[in-house]
Amino acid sequence: MAEKFNLKWNDFQSNVSKSFGLFRNEKYLQDITLVSEDMKPVQAHKLVLSACSEYFRTILQQTNTDSKTILCLDGVSSEDLRNVLDYVYDGEVKIHQEDLDRFLNVAQKLKIEGLIGNDEYNGEV
């Protein structure tokens, strides 16, 4: 049997993270439009959303992947949507203290990885 070599991409996690951040500002490969409750559309990438959210992953598994998707997010303001996208693309977000509970409730609703816990924030948005 032939010997196998293990090839590892140094700093893989940081490279993927950096790529997510670069994609955020690029129109390239954007394949979903998210519409906030105040009717402000934002372009995004299904792959990034699916990687970071069980909510988006479940919905997108059930939709036609050949077409551009428009998803209306009832109960999610454009400010909260922008903050969620900052978090999923950049891995961090800066939130004013007075907005923190609302943001965490939205994160819970959208099942955003790294922000959801053991029903710690389960209020309605």
Side-chain angles (χ1 to χ4, degrees):
M1 206 171 215
E3 185 177 354
K4 284 188 173 182
F5 293 92
N6 183 25
L7 303 176
K8 185 174 179 179
W9 182 353
N10 291 336
D11 301 321
F12 174 79
Q13 286 83 2
S14 67
N15 282 304
V16 170
S17 176
K18 188 186 312 179
S19 294
F20 275 17
L22 293 173
F23 279 145
R24 172 85 187 276
N25 298 318
E26 297 286 328
K27 300 263 184 241
Y28 179 66
L29 296 178
Q30 291 177 336
D31 53 1
I32 187 168
T33 300
L34 303 174
V35 182
S36 60
E37 71 178 356
D38 47 348
M39 307 296 281
K40 295 186 180 175
V42 178
Q43 303 295 314
H45 300 85
K46 291 177 184 177
L47 176 66
V48 174
L49 296 176
S50 294
C52 300
S53 165
E54 179 186 340
Y55 176 87
F56 288 118
R57 187 169 42 254
T58 300
I59 289 172
L60 294 171
Q61 285 174 343
Q62 300 171 11
T63 60
N64 181 358
T65 58
D66 295 336
S67 63
K68 179 131 179 170
T69 304
I70 298 174
L71 185 59
C72 297
L73 299 172
D74 188 38
V76 178
S77 71
S78 57
E79 179 184 359
D80 288 332
L81 179 55
R82 187 173 46 253
N83 287 332
V84 164
L85 292 176
D86 284 347
Y87 179 80
V88 300
Y89 277 93
D90 300 327
E92 65 182 7
V93 65
K94 293 181 181 177
I95 302 287
H96 292 287
Q97 183 175 358
E98 61 269 13
D99 299 329
L100 184 59
D101 285 338
R102 187 184 74 241
F103 173 75
L104 291 173
N105 283 330
V106 168
Q108 179 72 23
K109 176 181 181 175
L110 300 178
K111 299 181 180 179
I112 303 298
E113 298 290 332
L115 290 175
I116 58 175
N118 301 328
D119 295 329
E120 185 176 343
Y121 290 93
N122 60 1
E124 292 297 316
V125 178

